[in-house]
Amino acid sequence: MDQKKPKILVIGDLFLDRYVYYDPALSKPSLETGLMTITGIKEEYSPGAAGNVAKNLAMLDVEVIVLGPVGCDGRQYDLERELSKYGICTQFLIKSQSHVTPVYTKFINTNTGEEDLPRLDIPPIGLNETSRAEMIRAIELLVPTVDAVVVEDQAEIPGRGCIDGEIVCRLLDMSTRFRDKTFVADSRTKPEAFAGFLVKPNMNEFISGLKRMGIIGNDESEIPHKILVQQYLTDFSRKVRSPVVVTAGEDGSFCFECGVLNRVFSLEGEVKDVCGAGDAYIAALAVDHCSGEKPLLDSARLATKAAALCVSHKGTGKLSRQALSEMSEPEYCEIDNPSIFRNSCRLPGNVKRVLFDFDGTISLLREGWQPIMRDLMIRFITGEKEIEEEALSRIMVEVDEFIAETTGLQTILQMEGLRKLVIEYGLVPPNEILTPLEYKRIYTGCLKKIVEERINENAESKYLLRGALGFLKTLRKGGVTLLLASGTDEEDVIKESQYLGVHSYMNGGVFGALDSIEEYSKKKVIERLMKEERIRPDELVVIGDGPVEITVGREVGAFTIGVASNEKAGFGWNKKKFERLEKAGADVIIPDFSTGASLAKLIFKNKI
């Protein structure tokens, strides 16, 4: 960061954060109401909302001026006192008897150190004509004297914040007149209104803005939010005519500038309190971006460090240039294809083997297996008895979670899990409980009827995930050995892969489940590759739509690609799959193989 001390104007609603430390042991019923008292033993104060951003800027060695409405009350005195501790100029606060000084009161349990009671808020009330006129005069007076302007539009109740339509219009006018200055906006309800500013919404604010702008509709519900950011950040930036940073909490941020979209990954570390992380981020972003001709990516990486430093402390955190300089640099990657989600920065080495899952990854012949298994599991667990709605609901939730977590396992292992659930719930007499193999035969019998009907349609391409065959051809053309490993019975995998025309591409073998659990697993296939064929972890890529193969691949150090496929449509995203694959740690997540060319370029570094 440049050592020149910049001057920054912060405009917005300034809150007083009030921390009341209470002792539960001292609580007692009120004589008047009978309600339990909250007995505080200590109070602490800190600037909040726009005041917290100002505090963070001051800790980064910035000369800070704050502008916003406050009341003529004791809380205004407390707020000014706290701001003055950081050398922040409060001369231009708009003080009025008709306003209140907003307060967040947080109750901290002295026994646990945790905030465990509802927060008490006194929100701002918005501007009247007099205070609005005063703010406009102050804006016109102050903007020419500063290096940057940070607008904090964070009022949670519509119509009660000070950044209203007239203030926005005046700020837009000033940004046009003073193009040599940096204007930054952090707006909860209208980030798209700040054309020409460096705009920093969080992910939810960004998506709400897309809907208001008509860029997306309500039919995007199956697309994960991070993918919506990747797909539409370019459009958003062009509409507001400015660079944009979208923060994604623990998942880092996305930034777009000069036609380039980057993802910045968050730093690992202990998270003690997420409160104030966004304020730390916007402060560091503004300071760095106004300190010279720096790429937005560099500023976003510094801001990521500031947020990480903030969450490592209780409360709203403490920043310093020295502490930021000592932190490791966040990783980042350029996003060439918005339909490819990079969940990590790692890439494979010289890839020699690619192991594919089958159902849901390549084949759609078994689309709908989850509801079939779900209905059968519920039937077997309940013994088809009438049970209370609450108990049935609990069973349904557990079954759904079980199927989601075991997607990719051999069917026999899933049936073992089913048998355990049948025993645990105790609704079926012991003599009526089947073996895992018997449960499996009933389930596969139901599923095979559907598969046979689909095969008899003679519409192979209908049951291939979009782009799968082309991607297989690309890999084979590049000399990569391909393998297929499925939790479905081996004879069925062979038959179905032959029908779909993919069997011939699997020159490394086709593997499926056997009746004996010990004889086969995806993990055993991978271990054999490494032991017998001496394949190194960085030479192996594992591709699948379930957390099982992704987890197994990660455990051995392979590069993993999650396929968050919408099996019903045959292409596009499935949000629940995306979330499971992201949680499992897939290095890359795709919706289907229509991204094949970009995916091959990414993992094979233009070699094929």
Side-chain angles (χ1 to χ4, degrees):
M1 286 169 53
D2 197 299
Q3 294 305 304
K4 177 179 175 286
K5 191 169 184 176
K7 181 188 288 188
I8 296 180
L9 170 64
V10 178
I11 305 174
D13 291 295
L14 295 100
F15 278 64
L16 177 68
D17 282 349
R18 175 175 172 245
Y19 299 87
V20 176
Y21 293 81
Y22 78 98
D23 185 347
L26 299 178
S27 296
K28 59 184 179 180
S30 165
L31 294 176
E32 293 81 9
T33 66
L35 298 174
M36 293 298 291
T37 62
I38 300 171
T39 306
I41 60 174
K42 182 177 70 170
E43 285 183 306
E44 291 180 354
Y45 299 93
S46 181
N52 191 44
V53 174
K55 181 189 80 171
N56 283 313
L57 287 167
M59 287 190 290
L60 292 174
D61 198 25
V62 172
E63 186 178 341
V64 185
I65 304 170
V66 288
L67 173 60
V70 292
C72 295
D73 49 39
R75 294 187 298 272
Q76 168 253 320
Y77 171 82
D78 292 332
L79 176 60
E80 286 203 61
R81 181 192 64 232
E82 295 303 315
L83 290 167
S84 66
K85 289 179 180 178
Y86 299 92
I88 296 167
C89 173
T90 61
Q91 176 185 347
F92 298 95
L93 289 177
I94 310 298
K95 302 173 187 176
S96 170
Q97 295 283 359
S98 61
H99 285 290
V100 297
T101 303
V103 183
Y104 286 147
T105 299
K106 305 174 184 183
F107 298 95
I108 313 298
N109 188 319
T110 55
N111 293 333
T112 64
E114 301 296 328
E115 182 183 348
D116 58 5
L117 292 176
R119 194 179 71 192
L120 174 62
D121 293 355
I122 299 176
I125 62 171
L127 298 174
N128 56 35
E129 288 187 17
T130 302
S131 56
R132 184 180 296 108
E134 285 188 59
M135 275 197 69
I136 289 172
R137 284 195 295 272
I139 288 170
E140 293 177 338
L141 173 69
L142 293 170
V143 168
T145 71
V146 298
D147 298 295
V149 177
V150 176
V151 180
E152 277 293 302
D153 177 26
Q154 295 296 302
E156 296 179 349
I157 303 174
R160 299 194 66 161
C162 70
I163 309 298
D164 61 21
E166 290 189 44
I167 297 297
V168 171
C169 286
R170 190 52 54 101
L171 288 168
L172 292 174
D173 175 61
M174 297 300 283
S175 70
T176 302
R177 288 164 52 192
F178 296 94
R179 296 184 183 276
D180 59 324
K181 302 183 187 300
T182 300
F183 287 78
V184 184
D186 185 8
S187 176
R188 181 163 292 174
T189 58
K190 48 183 181 293
E192 69 278 7
F194 293 90
F197 283 51
L198 168 56
V199 184
K200 188 221 72 71
N202 65 31
M203 201 153 50
N204 289 330
E205 293 161 356
F206 173 78
I207 291 166
S208 295
L210 291 179
K211 291 178 180 178
R212 286 190 297 271
M213 297 164 79
I215 294 176
I216 65 171
N218 294 322
D219 56 347
E220 314 278 354
S221 59
E222 266 304 308
I223 302 179
H225 282 184
K226 298 184 192 75
I227 301 303
L228 287 174
V229 174
Q230 292 190 171
Q231 289 181 339
Y232 296 110
L233 185 49
T234 301
D235 292 340
F236 186 96
S237 177
R238 285 172 182 160
K239 289 248 184 182
V240 299
R241 305 189 307 279
S242 61
V244 181
V245 177
V246 178
T247 54
E250 63 184 13
D251 294 312
S253 60
F254 300 83
C255 63
F256 181 80
E257 183 182 46
C258 300
V260 179
L261 175 60
N262 283 289
R263 181 180 180 194
V264 180
F265 293 87
S266 58
L267 291 170
E268 293 185 3
E270 184 182 4
V271 176
K272 293 183 178 179
D273 192 343
V274 298
C275 184
D279 295 339
Y281 190 102
I282 192 74
L285 184 75
V287 172
D288 198 65
H289 205 58
C290 80
S291 61
E293 295 294 324
K294 290 193 175 183
L296 180 60
L297 174 61
D298 290 352
S299 300
R301 294 177 76 195
L302 180 73
T304 299
K305 292 163 66 172
L309 183 60
C310 175
V311 301
S312 68
H313 299 95
K314 280 285 187 182
T316 53
K318 294 182 179 180
L319 302 183
S320 73
R321 288 178 180 255
Q322 180 65 30
L324 291 177
S325 69
E326 293 170 356
M327 296 175 71
S328 58
E329 292 296 324
E331 293 185 311
Y332 71 95
C333 63
E334 185 176 335
I335 299 167
D336 295 315
N337 187 319
S339 289
I340 295 177
F341 181 74
R342 297 283 301 275
N343 201 29
S344 77
C345 272
R346 69 188 294 257
L347 290 171
N350 182 24
V351 176
K352 296 181 178 178
R353 301 288 187 275
V354 177
L355 183 144
F356 286 88
D357 172 55
F358 187 54
D359 297 311
T361 301
I362 292 175
S363 171
L364 304 174
L365 284 169
R366 292 174 178 254
E367 183 275 318
W369 69 265
Q370 296 95 332
I372 293 172
M373 181 179 284
R374 179 181 188 269
D375 292 345
L376 286 172
M377 287 184 70
I378 292 170
R379 194 181 92 195
F380 290 136
I381 291 169
T382 62
E384 299 187 84
K385 294 183 175 71
E386 289 286 335
I387 62 173
E388 292 182 3
E389 189 173 330
E390 185 178 341
L392 179 60
S393 178
R394 188 168 64 251
I395 291 170
M396 292 166 70
V397 169
E398 186 162 5
V399 166
D400 286 340
E401 290 176 351
F402 173 83
I403 291 172
E405 291 169 2
T406 60
T407 296
L409 277 181
Q410 301 102 294
T411 307
I412 190 68
L413 289 175
Q414 291 176 305
M415 296 302 104
E416 281 194 349
L418 166 59
R419 190 173 192 276
K420 289 178 182 177
L421 288 172
V422 172
I423 293 170
E424 285 174 11
Y425 277 97
L427 298 172
V428 178
N431 63 318
E432 294 180 17
I433 297 175
L434 305 181
T435 66
L437 192 55
E438 289 172 323
Y439 284 129
K440 177 186 171 184
R441 285 171 181 159
I442 295 171
Y443 163 68
T444 55
C446 294
L447 191 54
K448 279 184 178 181
K449 290 178 183 177
I450 296 173
V451 173
E452 287 299 327
E453 289 173 2
R454 290 172 176 175
I455 288 176
N456 290 335
E457 292 177 23
N458 290 318
E460 296 91 336
S461 61
K462 180 180 176 181
Y463 295 105
L464 275 170
L465 190 66
R466 180 173 287 181
L469 203 57
F471 188 60
L472 296 179
K473 290 177 181 178
T474 299
L475 298 186
R476 282 297 306 277
K477 187 178 178 181
V480 180
T481 299
L482 309 183
L483 304 91
L484 198 61
S486 174
T488 300
D489 287 350
E490 187 165 277
E491 63 178 306
D492 294 327
V493 178
I494 292 171
K495 177 182 176 181
E496 292 166 28
S497 63
Q498 287 174 337
Y499 167 74
L500 293 172
V502 301
H503 186 276
S504 60
Y505 291 95
M506 302 300 165
N507 55 332
V510 174
F511 306 90
L514 305 170
D515 284 343
S516 169
I517 299 170
E518 289 75 21
E519 290 183 66
Y520 167 81
S521 71
K522 292 175 183 177
K523 186 175 183 179
K524 283 185 169 63
V525 174
I526 292 174
E527 288 173 345
R528 181 187 63 77
L529 280 175
M530 294 184 164
K531 184 177 180 181
E532 296 179 12
E533 301 184 28
R534 298 187 178 182
I535 296 298
R536 299 196 311 268
D538 67 334
E539 296 173 332
L540 174 65
V541 174
V542 176
I543 304 178
D545 75 321
V548 170
E549 54 264 19
I550 298 302
T551 301
V552 169
R554 278 182 54 81
E555 285 175 352
V556 299
F559 186 78
T560 56
I561 300 174
V563 184
S565 54
N566 182 335
E567 296 178 51
K568 199 167 190 67
F571 63 93
W573 293 97
N574 179 304
K575 187 183 284 188
K576 289 185 178 178
K577 273 191 186 182
F578 179 91
E579 291 166 355
R580 291 196 294 267
L581 293 165
E582 185 182 24
K583 184 179 178 182
D587 293 299
V588 165
I589 305 176
I590 57 174
D592 50 51
F593 295 100
S594 60
T595 61
S598 296
L599 189 61
K601 177 183 175 183
L602 175 69
I603 62 178
F604 300 109
K605 309 172 187 69
N606 293 318
K607 292 181 181 178
I608 62 174

